[in-house]
Amino acid sequence: MYSFNNQKREITFKKYNTPTPWMNYLSNGTFHTMMSQAGGGVAFYKSPQIWRINHYKFFHVPTDRSGFYTYIKDGGEYWCPTNEPCKTKPEKWQSTHGMGYTRFEAERKGVSVTATYFVGEYENALIWNLKLKSDSDKHITLFPYVELGMMEFMRELQWQCYNKHQLSCYNMEDVLVYKYGVETQPKPDETPLVYFAANVPVTAFDCDRDEFVGAYRSEENPQRVELGNCSKSTMYGGDPCFALQLEIELKANEEKEVNIFLGTAMTEEDIRKSVENCRKTDFVEKSFKGLAEKWDAHLSKFQCKIPDKDAETMINIWNPYQAERNFQFSRNISYYATGTFRGVGVRDTAQDILAMVPFDLRRAKDKLNLLFTQQYNDGHCNHYCFPTEGWEPVTRIHSDNHLWLVMACYHIVIEEGKLDYLDEVVEFYDGGSATVWEHIKKSIDFCLANLGECGFPLMLSSDWNDMLYKVCREGKGESIWTSMQFGTVLRQIAEIADLKGEDGSKYLETYEQQKKLVNEIAWDGEWYRRCITDEGTFIGSEKEPQAKIWLNTQSWSVISGMGDNGTQAMDNVKKYLDTDLGIKKIHPSMTTDYPTKDGNLTMYNKGCGENGSVFCHANTWAVIAECLLKRPENAYKYYHQLLPMVAQAQAGEWRYKAEPYVYCSNIFGPESDKFGLANVSWLTGTAAWMYVAVTQYMLGIRAKWDGLEIDPCLPKEMLPAKVTRVFRGKTYNITITKNEKKFISFDGKETDVII
Ligand code: IFM
């Protein structure tokens, strides 16, 4: 079904009809395309909310339509190198996802095509590089095709009957142009034109989807492809598309290269310039080379060689690749997330930053600075913001958002080994500005100013766990987990304060107070309780009939160093929550009338989503906790069982369904009849945290202020481990043969370290 080629950093698929679309993201930071193994997907410029280019029909059948298709008309029949969407299939076919590109290799009746799609750094365009060959002299017709849509997806759903008459699609000297002229769009002056061009002569085109596809047909059998010619339709009001007709002569065994460009530019003149650039002889090759070099440089900052090859594949390639995509897209658009309302989540993005820190400190700082702009003078933060769309933020106050900022900042400062970043000045959302150092101190102040009756942080609109918004609607509910998160960052800010020559002890005093509460009030006898409701009920207690034990307060009791009984708590994680497909978030799952019918905590079915599924994001913290407890076998079990290819093999491909090369957010738990079904892949905090867990806790290579600490917690399956880590501009080659702590001081002279 699939195979990895780690040398090339690729995964190849032999079948097009995977259980769900298995996606890749092609991007240059401005122009983006999410593309499946069968050529389906969606392209957008900067924002999928307001500058979406083509239609992608989420959740509809047939699955994974539409996409970026090139019909090859060869005599009476036609087919696509992407395999989909035609009935006539290639005789030989495979597709491959690589770092920022997707390639299709297909053959039918002596015609072979290699189609590589990627977005290079020089133009904002999806490049379709087609290499064509035939075993005999042949004339074929190519029809590259994209079904366009209204750029604002939500407006299209609601208002297309009026607004589609404000769309135009036309031919400009054999370059097709789409203008999204809809009134009252959010940023008309920044809305680009979209273009579609080829580097070979264009015989005809269509801009009107209905003309190209025809009535009661679909992308499976467009009438114009069947007829063998496009109609030269324009589209001033209606449903737009880009379709080109390209006549190609193939000489036996000679390769012909055709390039198609789906791009954006601000004006017609800019389009002309952009297309001229794209058509230059070395443009495509240069762009692809640039992409490869970029990923080489990025990934070479941390590479390992270990006996567990699945883990190695994830650590070296797919996990940091996925983490970078999360850093870029937050939780915006995936096969599961429709890219309609979620902009940049402060909580989510602050966690994503953690996995960017070892790779690119400036990118990490810029993103964190963006999050600081969402902070108010009292220290709390907006929940989501929409910097690209310019929409008003979601202003709900959650108990955890502002604390993640402290953690991200700590990681940056410690990685860099300098305090300079703390002096950068960033505006507050409600006016004025302050240094980064002042910003993070305000995070702490806000938490301190919002403690509940028992002394734990108030839950406010929920903590990390969205579902808990229901325990605090009267504003009294308290979060024991946030107390542990607070404790974790209090130790971090105390360290920074000392480094700055300020008094860190006041933070440690607060830490001790919270720690006392955790052990005296939150300890249930066997594990740590999760939270306190408005009514004063402890959720996550043996005394409760449901949701008795929750993963997060066990793992974070150890991570924060607050739990005197952390070992016992984690033993109970193993006993009650662990499965062969990961650790459940809670046990037992809740029914929809717990704690009461009117005041229920969840509407999720048992074992699904937030209710008793294996929540992969939270599993990463269990891995870290086990490392801190120095229990390598447990850490490895929790880590290994969630490796996507391992979980998929364990559950079965058609049960697991999602990609075997990226982490998902959650997996249906044992209380569901679909135990093992993986859900919400690609964009999830699992990516960043699993990377942190395995590199900084299992392999144990952690930045410290004075240097690099190597404190591994590895089972025999991962030993010996050889790691190359670039740290503060120097390359360290580290060989780990046993679990022993070692410190490399910052003089950095010692580059080969053997443990
Ligand atoms: O923490 C959240 C995240 O912000 C969105 N997905 C679910 C997580 C757990 O509730």
Side-chain angles (χ1 to χ4, degrees):
M1 174 82 173
Y2 68 85
S3 57
F4 288 102
N5 180 337
N6 287 356
Q7 212 66 37
K8 295 184 171 167
R9 301 193 180 113
E10 291 181 343
I11 180 168
T12 293
F13 314 103
K14 297 286 179 193
K15 269 186 356 192
Y16 78 93
N17 48 354
T18 50
T20 52
W22 288 357
M23 294 295 187
N24 194 9
Y25 288 87
L26 323 178
S27 163
N28 67 358
T30 304
F31 190 103
H32 318 280
T33 305
M34 177 177 77
M35 181 176 268
S36 80
Q37 83 298 334
V42 58
F44 55 100
Y45 166 81
K46 291 186 181 174
S47 155
Q49 280 108 339
I50 62 170
W51 293 315
R52 188 177 300 211
I53 291 168
N54 68 302
H55 273 159
Y56 189 72
K57 299 164 196 114
F58 295 85
F59 318 122
H60 291 211
V61 282
T63 309
D64 196 23
R65 300 274 180 89
S66 60
F68 310 94
Y69 307 128
T70 302
Y71 300 92
I72 298 182
K73 178 106 192 216
D74 180 9
E77 64 173 31
Y78 55 91
W79 56 281
C80 280
T82 43
N83 206 316
E84 279 284 81
C86 298
K87 272 225 168 78
T88 304
K89 298 294 181 193
E91 290 154 355
K92 282 193 195 160
W93 181 87
Q94 65 178 28
S95 71
T96 298
H97 286 328
M99 304 291 101
Y101 62 90
T102 293
R103 187 176 65 242
F104 302 88
E105 290 155 277
E107 198 177 316
R108 184 170 172 89
K109 297 211 172 139
V111 175
S112 66
V113 185
T114 300
T116 309
Y117 294 71
F118 67 101
V119 181
E121 62 184 296
Y122 305 111
E123 291 294 341
N124 289 327
L126 176 69
I127 300 170
W128 316 16
N129 173 244
L130 308 176
K131 293 196 169 106
L132 305 149
K133 225 176 178 180
S134 165
D135 60 6
S136 59
D137 289 0
K138 236 180 202 182
H139 178 95
I140 57 171
T141 310
L142 302 184
F143 295 94
Y145 169 70
V146 183
E147 178 187 345
L148 302 169
M150 279 179 51
M151 285 187 147
E152 292 168 275
F153 185 62
M154 285 306 282
R155 192 192 291 256
E156 177 158 39
L157 293 177
Q158 293 165 337
W159 291 106
Q160 59 89 30
C161 53
Y162 301 113
N163 286 148
K164 74 183 182 188
H165 303 304
Q166 299 167 336
L167 311 178
S168 337
C169 198
Y170 52 94
N171 178 29
M172 179 183 80
E173 300 137 30
D174 286 349
V175 175
L176 304 185
V177 179
Y178 168 58
K179 180 172 165 50
Y180 183 66
V182 170
E183 63 201 350
T184 67
Q185 57 177 289
K187 291 188 167 177
D189 298 340
E190 293 174 42
T191 299
L193 299 172
V194 187
Y195 68 80
F196 201 47
N199 68 336
V200 293
V202 172
T203 306
F205 59 87
D206 271 303
C207 293
D208 186 325
R209 187 194 65 186
D210 295 346
E211 292 297 331
F212 183 75
V213 174
Y216 285 89
R217 287 170 177 262
S218 73
E219 50 276 272
E220 186 178 305
N221 56 352
Q223 67 172 353
R224 283 289 144 197
V225 178
E226 268 186 23
L227 291 168
N229 57 54
C230 284
S231 72
K232 299 195 176 173
S233 59
T234 54
M235 202 290 313
Y236 294 98
D239 291 301
C241 78
F242 283 151
L244 297 173
Q245 179 187 338
L246 312 172
E247 301 296 339
I248 308 290
E249 295 299 334
L250 293 175
K251 291 266 167 261
N253 298 319
E254 245 179 45
E255 189 175 88
K256 194 157 235 172
E257 195 166 318
V258 174
N259 291 307
I260 314 294
F261 309 101
L262 172 68
T264 53
M266 297 316 292
T267 63
E268 290 188 350
E269 200 36 47
D270 292 345
I271 289 181
R272 282 191 187 90
K273 282 192 205 136
S274 177
V275 171
E276 194 185 320
N277 194 23
C278 288
R279 284 176 177 158
K280 283 184 184 148
T281 343
D282 64 342
F283 172 80
V284 173
E285 203 186 322
K286 193 177 86 181
S287 301
F288 195 71
K289 202 162 160 261
L291 181 72
E293 284 169 0
K294 195 193 88 184
W295 280 106
D296 262 355
H298 186 84
L299 295 174
S300 65
K301 296 205 170 122
F302 193 107
Q303 288 288 296
C304 72
K305 218 170 174 333
I306 48 175
D308 181 333
K309 293 301 158 196
D310 290 330
E312 189 181 287
T313 300
M314 290 307 291
I315 297 167
N316 288 344
I317 305 167
W318 295 96
N319 191 351
Y321 181 60
Q322 182 184 3
E324 196 278 344
R325 277 6 193 174
N326 273 266
F327 180 87
Q328 214 181 140
F329 300 120
S330 198
R331 306 297 174 266
N332 218 328
I333 189 161
S334 69
Y335 179 61
Y336 305 85
T338 53
T340 43
F341 75 99
R342 276 172 87 169
V344 179
V346 170
R347 167 200 298 155
D348 300 326
T349 303
Q351 293 173 77
D352 295 342
I353 289 171
L354 304 182
M356 181 53 71
V357 165
F359 293 97
D360 191 332
L361 274 169
R362 191 63 254 170
R363 276 183 91 185
K365 289 175 191 172
D366 289 346
K367 192 70 103 176
L368 185 53
N369 287 351
L370 168 73
L371 302 186
F372 282 131
T373 66
Q374 301 305 306
Q375 190 172 33
Y376 293 67
N377 281 276
D378 70 359
H380 86 273
C381 283
N382 290 323
H383 192 47
Y384 290 145
C385 62
F386 302 91
T388 312
E389 297 77 14
W391 293 336
E392 289 298 309
V394 172
T395 55
R396 281 198 316 264
I397 308 178
H398 294 255
S399 59
D400 64 324
N401 276 326
H402 41 284
L403 296 177
W404 293 115
L405 303 183
V406 184
M407 184 179 285
C409 180
Y410 173 79
H411 277 241
I412 288 171
V413 167
I414 296 300
E415 176 76 21
E416 194 164 35
K418 288 187 194 148
L419 297 172
D420 305 15
Y421 174 55
L422 299 172
D423 295 331
E424 289 190 19
V425 175
V426 190
E427 285 176 6
F428 285 107
Y429 186 76
D430 56 346
S433 59
T435 61
V436 164
W437 175 232
E438 293 300 326
H439 272 274
I440 61 169
K441 285 199 287 191
K442 294 216 177 218
S443 296
I444 302 293
D445 292 346
F446 183 80
C447 198
L448 265 179
N450 285 277
L451 301 177
E453 214 175 289
C454 293
F456 297 111
L458 285 171
M459 181 69 82
L460 306 172
S461 298
S462 97
D463 61 23
W464 169 86
N465 192 337
D466 292 324
M467 187 178 65
L468 291 174
Y469 76 96
K470 287 196 173 171
V471 303
C472 47
R473 277 173 296 188
E474 287 167 25
K476 292 191 276 187
E478 295 174 50
S479 170
I480 293 165
W481 175 80
T482 305
S483 164
M484 295 172 175
Q485 184 202 20
F486 190 35
T488 305
V489 304
L490 280 166
R491 294 208 293 195
Q492 295 174 336
I493 199 167
E495 189 182 332
I496 304 183
D498 287 342
L499 288 167
K500 271 190 79 66
E502 293 187 21
D503 180 17
S505 63
K506 65 173 183 190
Y507 298 113
L508 295 180
E509 277 162 30
T510 309
Y511 174 86
E512 290 303 330
Q513 286 156 12
Q514 288 288 313
K515 182 174 175 190
K516 198 161 181 279
L517 295 178
V518 161
N519 289 300
E520 287 179 2
I521 302 181
W523 180 246
D524 196 58
E526 289 283 326
W527 53 74
Y528 290 96
R529 299 161 178 164
R530 182 61 178 81
C531 61
I532 310 169
T533 66
D534 286 328
E535 296 74 29
T537 307
F538 285 104
I539 300 288
S541 165
E542 174 57 38
K543 291 189 194 75
E544 289 296 298
Q546 303 185 19
K548 287 167 180 276
I549 171 168
W550 295 58
L551 173 56
N552 278 7
T553 33
Q554 318 322 317
S555 54
W556 281 76
S557 76
V558 178
I559 291 171
S560 63
M562 289 165 120
D564 291 343
N565 302 308
T567 308
Q568 191 182 351
M570 288 306 292
D571 285 344
N572 283 314
V573 165
K574 192 164 199 144
K575 187 167 168 192
Y576 295 108
L577 298 173
D578 188 31
T579 77
D580 283 345
L581 278 166
I583 311 167
K584 292 166 50 169
K585 193 160 76 174
I586 58 177
H587 179 79
S589 288
M590 292 174 266
T591 52
T592 51
D593 54 8
Y594 173 75
T596 60
K597 206 166 177 5
D598 297 332
N600 63 352
L601 265 183
T602 191
M603 289 303 287
Y604 278 100
N605 290 310
K606 281 185 164 192
C608 294
E610 305 268 0
N611 186 15
S613 75
V614 169
F615 216 85
C616 304
H617 185 163
N619 276 237
T620 66
W621 296 324
V623 175
I624 294 174
E626 289 295 349
C627 288
L628 292 170
L629 293 176
K630 298 286 169 218
R631 304 200 294 191
E633 302 307 330
N634 285 351
Y636 181 68
K637 180 184 188 298
Y638 297 158
Y639 174 70
H640 185 260
Q641 67 196 4
L642 277 194
L643 290 170
M645 62 292 265
V646 171
Q648 192 224 42
Q650 172 72 21
E653 181 186 304
W654 282 86
R655 168 50 60 89
Y656 187 80
K657 289 194 175 176
E659 294 92 336
Y661 48 93
V662 287
Y663 290 104
C664 61
S665 160
N666 59 81
I667 300 175
F668 282 48
E671 288 147 293
S672 158
D673 62 354
K674 292 217 164 29
F675 180 34
L677 176 61
N679 212 352
V680 191
S681 63
W682 266 109
L683 300 187
T684 157
T686 317
W689 273 108
M690 201 59 103
Y691 193 71
V692 169
V694 69
T695 57
Q696 298 181 22
Y697 290 87
M698 292 188 71
L699 290 163
I701 301 173
R702 285 200 287 270
K704 293 275 161 183
W705 178 255
D706 294 322
L708 202 57
E709 183 177 84
I710 305 162
D711 184 12
C713 182
L714 295 171
K716 60 181 182 325
E717 291 87 341
M718 283 177 78
L719 285 170
K722 280 179 180 292
V723 177
T724 303
R725 159 76 145 105
V726 177
F727 179 58
R728 298 183 191 162
K730 293 196 173 64
T731 303
Y732 293 86
N733 298 308
I734 301 157
T735 305
I736 305 169
T737 55
K738 54 183 178 299
N739 291 316
E740 211 168 81
K741 197 159 166 170
K742 181 147 185 168
F743 189 75
I744 312 170
S745 70
F746 184 45
D747 67 13
K749 290 202 185 86
E750 193 181 358
T751 54
D752 288 312
V753 190
I754 300 178
I755 296 182

